[in-house]
Amino acid sequence: MDINKVTYRYSEWVVRHRVAIVVLTLLAVACFAAGGRNLSFVNDSRIFFSKENPQLKALDALENTYSREDNVFFALAPNGGNVFTPEVLAAVAELTEACWQMPHSSRVDSLTNFQHTRAEGDDLIVEDLVGDPSTLSPEDLQRIRRIAVSEPMLVDRLISPDGRVTGINVDIVKSGKGNEIPEIMAFTRKLAREFRQKHPDIAVYITGGVPFDNAFAEAAVKDLQTLVPIMFAVLLVIMVLALKSIYGTLSTFLVIAFSMITGIGAAGWLGLSMNPVSANAPTIILTLAVADSIHLLSTMFHQMREGRSRHAAVVESLRINMQPVFLTSLTTAVGFLTMNFSDVPPFRDLGNIVAIGVTAAWVYSVLFLPAFMAMLPVRVRATAEGGQYRNCDRLANFVICRRRGLFRGMLAAVILLSLGTLRIQLNDNFIEYFDHRYEIRRDTDFIQKNLTGLDIIEYSLDSGESGGINAPRFLHTVDAFAQWYRKQPHVVHVSTMTDVFKRLNKSMHGDDPAFYRIPEKRDLAAQYLLLYEMSLPFGLDLNNQINVQKSSLRFTVYLVDVTARDLRETDARARAWLEANAPPQMYTYGTGLSIMFAHISQRNIHSMLGASFGALVIISAILIIALKSFKLGVISLIPNLAPAAMAFGLWGFTMRQVGLAISVMAALTLGIVVDDTVHFMSKYLLARREHRMAPAEAVRYAFNTVGAAIAISTATLVAGFLVLAFSGFKTNANMGLMTAITIVLALVLDFFFLPVLLMKAENKSDEITDDQTATACLAVSADGGRGDR
C-alpha cells in the first residue's frame, strides 16, 4: 500500500467534505464540553499517595489504632510580646471556647485549657491551667508562666519558651463526605476575622493539615484562573507574529481551544478529578496543540507561495505532514501515558488528560484545520518568499561547513552538562510546595520560626501486652527514646505519654520535683492513669494517645526547617535506636504526612525510571519503523535522550535538589522533544528519497522547509511551560521550568548536532562535493574565519 496515495486521497476527501467536517467537529466539541460539569477539585494532601504506598498504609494503621486527626492551628502573637497578661489570656480563652464550635472539631487544646495536675492532700486535682483570667493577680500570672514554660507538653508546642507566642490546636475528624474542608476553612477565616477586629493588638496566624489541604485546591483554581488566560494571550501573540495571517491564527486558536475543551471534558466524563498537578493539563494541552497546526499551516503557505491554489496547497500540506504530525502526536501521547507508572496519582491524572488532549489536537489538526482553511478566503503574497528562508539558509550553511567543530563541541557539551547529574540529591520540603504569595506559607513560616514545628514523625510504640503501657520497663524505654529524640537536629517538641506519667507521679508526691520520674511500680502507674482519665473533662480524653487495649502509645515528634532528606535520615536513626535499645515489639517505622512526602519523590523517581525506559523502547521502535532505517532511528534517539540528561545535569550544577515535580520530567519531556527531531528527519528523508539530494543538501532542504516551523513550535512550547514556572505551587513551577530548559536544549541539539550526525553517518567521505554548498562554505569562511572543511 502506497502511503502517499492514501494520504493524498484522504486530503482530497477532507477538502471535498469540508463543511460537514467543520459542523461535526463543533458538535463533538460541544459533547466533550458537557463533561466539564462533572469536574471537581480534590483538596486533600493524601491524593499524592496511591493506595499501595507503604507509608500511607503505615499511617492508616496508626490512625485506625488511635484516631485520624486533621487539624487547624492558630498562633496568637500579642504586640506587647507577652502572652501572660489578663487581657491576652482572656482572648486565648475566648478563642479556645469559640473553636469548639468549628465544624467537625473533636478536641481543642490551648494554654488556657491545658489540664494541669496538682495535689491537695491525698487528692489529685486536674484543672484548667488558666481559670478566670480577669481574676488573676500578678502572682498568679507568674505561677502560670512558670508552669507553662517548664511543662514539656506545652513548651515549643502551645507556648514559645520566651512566652511571646501561644497556639491553639483544633483536632478535626472528617467523615470524608461532602465539601467539609471549605466549610471548615470558611468558619476558621470568619473566626480569625472577628478575633482580629475585637483584638487588633493580637496577630493571628493559621496553619495545619486542613488549611494545607484547602491550599491545594485554591492553588489549582488560582492556576486555572491566571495561567490559562496568560497562556492564551502568549499563544495569540506568537501565532500572529509567526503566521502573519489572521485566518491562520484563527484556525490555530480554534484547534488549541477545542483540544483543551476535549481533554478537560473527557476528564469529566471519565470521573477524573482536578488537583494542583492535573490543573496544569489545560496549559500543557494549549502549548502542545499549537505545534501540529504550525507545521501544517507553514507548509500550506509555502505551497501557495509557489503558485498552488488554496485547495491544492491544503492537500499537499496534509500529504507532506501527515506522517510526521501523526508520529509527533503518538510519541507525545506515549510519553505522557507512561506517567501512569508514577507512584503519585495526580501525575497519572495529568498524563491521561494531556494524552487525550494531544490526541484530540492531532485529530483536529488533520481534520478540522485543513477543512476550515479550505473554506476561508486565504491569500498569501508571493513577495514574502524572497526573504522567508534566508536566515534558515545561513544557519544551514553554518552547520554544514562547520560540522566537524560542531560535532566535537556539541559532544563535549552533552558530556559535561550530563556530569551534573552526579551532584543531584533527592530532596524536597513539603511546606515549601507553596511560595510566599500564599497566606498559608507566610503563616507557617512565622509559626515555625516563633513557636513550633509543622513537620511530624509519628510512631505507635507497642508494649506487646494488654495494659502494658503501665509497665515501668516499657515506660522507661519510651522516655529514653523521647530524651534521645529531643537531642536530634531540627526537633523542637516531642509529645509522649511518659511526660504525663512523670507529672502524675510528681503530683501524687506533694508536687516534689524529685519525683518527676516514671512510677516505679506497674500497679501504681495504672492507678495514676485511671485517676487522671476519670478527672479529664469531655473532649480532652486520652483516646488519641492510647489504644483501647492500653497496649501501645502514640509518640509524636515535631520538627522545624527540615527537608525530605532530613526526615528520612532522622527516621532511619530513630529506627536504629529502637533496634539497639528497645524490645522487638517496639520496633516500628515512623509515619505521618511529612514522612510520606519525604519518601514520595524517592519512590516516584524509581518508578518513573522504569516507565521512562519503557517509553524509550516504544518511541525507538516507532521511529525505526517510521523512518524505515535502523541506523537513522538510532541516530534520532541521541538528540532526544541527551536533552533530559543535560537538563538534569544543569539542574544538578545549579539547584542540586530534585523533588517530586522533577521526578517525572524525563518521561514527560521524552515524547515532547521527539517532535522537532521527527519533523527535521522527515524533511531530510524527503529530500534524500524523493529529490535524490546529497546529505549536506538534504540538511539544507530540511532547514529551509521546516527550520522556521521548528523554531516557532519550540518558542511556543518554551513559552507555555515558562508560564507554568510562574505558578505559586512549587511542584508546577519546577516542572514547568525544567521542561522549558529541556526543550531549549533539544532545539539546540536538533539544529547543531542532529544534522551533523546525519551527514557523518550518510557521507562516508565527509567531503563537500556539491558546488553550491562549497561556495556557501567559502562565504561562511569569509564572514567568520576559516570554515571547518
Side-chain angles (χ1 to χ4, degrees):
M1 181 177 63
D2 191 335
I3 297 297
N4 282 329
K5 289 183 179 179
V6 173
T7 306
Y8 184 80
R9 289 172 183 170
Y10 168 78
S11 305
E12 288 189 317
W13 177 85
V14 169
V15 173
R16 188 163 57 250
H17 298 90
R18 54 190 179 276
V19 175
I21 289 172
V22 170
V23 172
L24 290 174
T25 298
L26 294 175
L27 291 175
V29 172
C31 291
F32 279 111
R37 296 175 301 178
N38 302 325
L39 286 176
S40 61
F41 287 92
V42 177
N43 46 8
D44 189 342
S45 54
R46 300 191 189 203
I47 61 171
F48 284 89
F49 309 97
S50 63
K51 294 180 180 179
E52 301 79 22
N53 186 285
Q55 283 79 35
L56 177 60
K57 289 181 178 180
L59 181 59
D60 287 341
L62 181 137
E63 291 178 338
N64 289 334
T65 301
Y66 305 99
S67 61
R68 174 176 176 174
E69 295 172 355
D70 290 291
N71 74 313
V72 175
F73 190 92
F74 294 89
L76 306 180
N79 294 340
N82 182 17
V83 169
F84 299 98
T85 67
E87 296 77 17
V88 174
L89 290 176
V92 173
E94 174 190 322
L95 185 56
T96 301
E97 186 64 28
C99 284
W100 284 105
Q101 306 304 315
M102 185 177 293
H104 309 287
S105 62
S106 63
R107 181 187 180 104
V108 181
D109 289 290
S110 73
L111 176 68
T112 56
N113 76 347
F114 174 71
Q115 297 304 290
H116 178 58
T117 60
R118 60 185 178 85
E120 282 190 5
D122 294 332
D123 295 327
L124 176 68
I125 305 300
V126 182
E127 61 186 0
D128 291 348
L129 177 61
V130 180
D132 183 357
S134 63
T135 64
L136 295 176
S137 65
E139 292 76 15
D140 292 331
L141 293 172
Q142 286 298 321
R143 177 183 59 82
I144 292 170
R145 181 189 184 102
R146 184 176 64 255
I147 293 171
V149 298
S150 62
E151 172 55 56
M153 300 288 287
L154 288 176
V155 72
D156 285 323
R157 177 59 183 157
L158 296 179
I159 186 68
S160 61
D162 57 10
R164 298 173 62 88
V165 182
T166 188
I168 300 174
N169 186 71
V170 186
D171 286 338
I172 303 293
V173 178
K174 296 183 294 186
S175 64
K177 301 177 182 178
N179 293 325
E180 296 169 316
I181 290 179
E183 178 189 9
I184 295 168
M185 285 308 300
F187 184 91
T188 298
R189 286 167 173 165
K190 180 174 180 291
L191 202 61
R193 185 168 57 251
E194 292 174 349
F195 184 87
R196 291 185 181 108
Q197 292 173 350
K198 190 173 182 180
H199 305 281
D201 56 338
I202 302 178
V204 181
Y205 303 88
I206 302 171
T207 188
V210 172
F212 264 104
D213 284 347
N214 187 69
F216 280 113
E218 289 184 345
V221 172
K222 188 172 184 177
D223 280 356
L224 282 174
Q225 292 175 340
T226 57
L227 300 186
V228 172
I230 291 173
M231 189 60 225
F232 262 118
V234 170
L235 290 179
L236 186 62
V237 171
I238 291 175
M239 287 185 294
V240 169
L241 294 176
L243 297 174
K244 298 178 181 177
S245 166
I246 295 176
Y247 294 123
T249 301
L250 173 63
S251 60
T252 304
F253 191 82
L254 290 175
V255 167
I256 62 177
F258 291 170
S259 303
M260 183 192 73
I261 292 171
T262 301
I264 300 302
W269 287 122
L270 293 172
L272 300 179
S273 58
M274 300 302 288
N275 52 66
V277 175
S278 64
N280 294 316
T283 306
I284 296 176
I285 292 172
L286 291 177
T287 303
L288 297 176
V290 174
D292 293 344
S293 300
I294 292 292
H295 285 285
L296 285 162
L297 291 174
S298 295
T299 304
M300 174 188 168
F301 294 154
H302 175 64
Q303 294 296 320
M304 291 180 69
R305 291 188 185 99
E306 290 188 342
R308 293 180 186 266
S309 66
R310 183 174 75 253
H311 289 178
V314 169
V315 171
E316 183 63 10
S317 178
L318 269 179
R319 185 190 74 81
I320 293 174
N321 289 291
M322 180 64 81
Q323 184 188 44
V325 165
F326 170 73
L327 288 176
T328 56
S329 299
L330 178 61
T331 54
T332 301
V334 167
F336 277 94
L337 285 174
T338 57
M339 294 175 72
N340 280 286
F341 292 94
S342 170
D343 198 51
V344 181
F347 282 120
R348 301 177 195 172
D349 294 340
L350 174 67
N352 291 328
I353 295 173
V354 174
I356 293 171
V358 168
T359 303
W362 172 72
V363 173
Y364 295 138
S365 295
V366 300
L367 198 62
F368 168 79
L369 178 69
F372 191 60
M373 290 299 292
M375 293 173 57
L376 298 175
V378 180
R379 298 286 185 271
V380 175
R381 291 182 298 175
T383 54
E385 178 66 22
Q388 181 71 15
Y389 301 116
R390 187 175 296 119
N391 291 333
C392 290
D393 198 57
R394 289 174 179 171
L395 181 60
N397 287 336
F398 177 82
V399 172
I400 293 169
C401 300
R402 300 192 183 276
R403 63 197 181 284
R404 292 181 180 175
L406 283 174
F407 176 78
R408 292 190 291 267
M410 294 304 299
L411 185 62
V414 170
I415 294 172
L416 289 175
L417 276 181
S418 299
L419 289 175
T421 57
L422 301 176
R423 291 173 49 85
I424 283 179
Q425 296 178 351
L426 292 177
N427 212 348
D428 223 340
N429 189 322
F430 165 61
I431 291 172
E432 293 179 358
Y433 277 17
F434 301 92
D435 71 11
H436 288 90
R437 77 187 70 174
Y438 290 97
E439 185 179 25
I440 182 70
R441 173 64 188 280
R442 298 193 300 271
D443 286 5
T444 299
D445 283 351
F446 175 87
I447 292 169
Q448 288 206 119
K449 183 178 180 180
N450 295 277
L451 182 57
T452 188
L454 275 300
D455 283 296
I456 296 173
I457 306 178
E458 293 199 282
Y459 301 87
S460 179
L461 300 177
D462 190 2
S463 67
E465 59 176 322
S466 179
I469 64 168
N470 296 309
R473 183 174 180 181
F474 171 76
L475 291 174
H476 277 294
T477 304
V478 174
D479 189 52
F481 189 40
Q483 297 305 322
W484 174 85
Y485 238 127
R486 285 169 177 142
K487 298 177 182 177
Q488 300 307 300
H490 307 289
V491 174
V492 294
H493 183 79
V494 177
S495 177
T496 169
M497 277 297 299
T498 55
D499 290 331
V500 175
F501 277 102
K502 290 192 287 186
R503 179 155 47 85
L504 290 172
N505 193 42
K506 172 187 171 185
S507 297
M508 295 305 292
H509 286 83
D511 289 325
D512 184 350
F515 284 90
Y516 187 77
R517 59 177 185 257
I518 300 296
E520 297 178 357
K521 296 181 179 180
R522 178 169 179 163
D523 58 347
L524 192 60
Q527 290 175 21
Y528 290 168
L529 183 61
L530 177 61
L531 187 59
Y532 180 66
E533 285 186 290
M534 292 175 62
S535 303
L536 291 173
F538 177 79
L540 296 178
D541 54 48
L542 300 178
N543 292 338
N544 65 335
Q545 298 295 315
I546 302 173
N547 70 341
V548 176
Q549 295 80 20
K550 288 186 168 50
S551 61
S552 62
L553 298 175
R554 192 174 196 164
F555 184 97
T556 307
V557 181
Y558 296 85
L559 305 96
V560 66
D561 295 332
V562 288
T563 63
R565 184 177 181 179
D566 296 329
L567 286 165
R568 292 194 300 266
E569 291 177 351
T570 300
D571 181 47
R573 292 196 304 272
R575 284 185 278 112
W577 188 95
L578 287 172
E579 189 173 28
N581 299 280
Q585 70 270 11
M586 281 185 67
Y587 182 83
T588 185
Y589 282 76
T591 186
L593 280 175
S594 298
I595 278 289
M596 289 162 63
F597 274 102
H599 284 278
I600 192 64
S601 57
Q602 191 174 45
R603 285 180 53 81
N604 200 53
I605 202 165
H606 290 158
S607 65
M608 291 308 297
L609 283 175
S612 300
F613 179 77
L616 173 62
V617 172
I618 294 172
I619 291 174
S620 302
I622 292 172
L623 292 178
I624 290 170
I625 294 171
L627 298 175
K628 299 177 182 178
S629 170
F630 180 81
K631 178 175 67 175
L632 293 180
V634 172
I635 288 175
S636 69
L637 291 177
I638 297 175
N640 296 332
L641 293 176
M646 296 169 71
F648 269 112
L650 184 61
W651 197 271
F653 281 125
T654 54
M655 306 295 187
R656 195 164 189 179
Q657 293 187 359
V658 167
L660 179 61
I662 309 301
S663 63
V664 300
M665 200 279 301
L668 184 149
T669 58
L670 184 58
I672 298 175
V673 299
V674 170
D675 292 8
D676 292 347
T677 304
V678 168
H679 281 289
F680 193 96
M681 292 283 286
S682 68
K683 298 303 184 290
Y684 173 84
L685 290 175
L686 180 67
R688 292 281 286 152
R689 293 169 180 173
E690 290 192 16
H691 302 300
R692 305 296 180 184
M693 291 183 178
E697 283 310 300
V699 165
R700 184 193 308 282
Y701 178 87
F703 268 111
N704 286 339
T705 54
V706 81
I710 287 177
I712 293 168
S713 61
T714 298
T716 303
L717 290 169
V718 171
F721 283 101
L722 280 180
V723 167
L724 283 182
F726 289 97
S727 170
F729 189 61
K730 181 181 176 181
T731 301
N732 297 344
N734 284 352
M735 181 174 64
L737 178 59
M738 186 70 154
T739 304
I741 292 171
T742 305
I743 293 171
V744 169
L745 292 171
L747 177 67
V748 173
L749 291 174
D750 281 325
F751 274 2
F752 298 105
F753 200 36
L754 176 61
V756 174
L757 291 174
L758 292 173
M759 289 185 288
K760 206 169 187 63
E762 294 213 302
N763 191 347
K764 295 182 179 179
S765 64
D766 200 26
E767 293 293 333
I768 299 175
T769 56
D770 183 87
D771 292 340
Q772 182 183 358
T773 303
T775 302
C777 286
L778 289 175
V780 171
S781 299
D783 289 341
R786 186 174 60 83
D788 188 13
R789 296 291 303 278

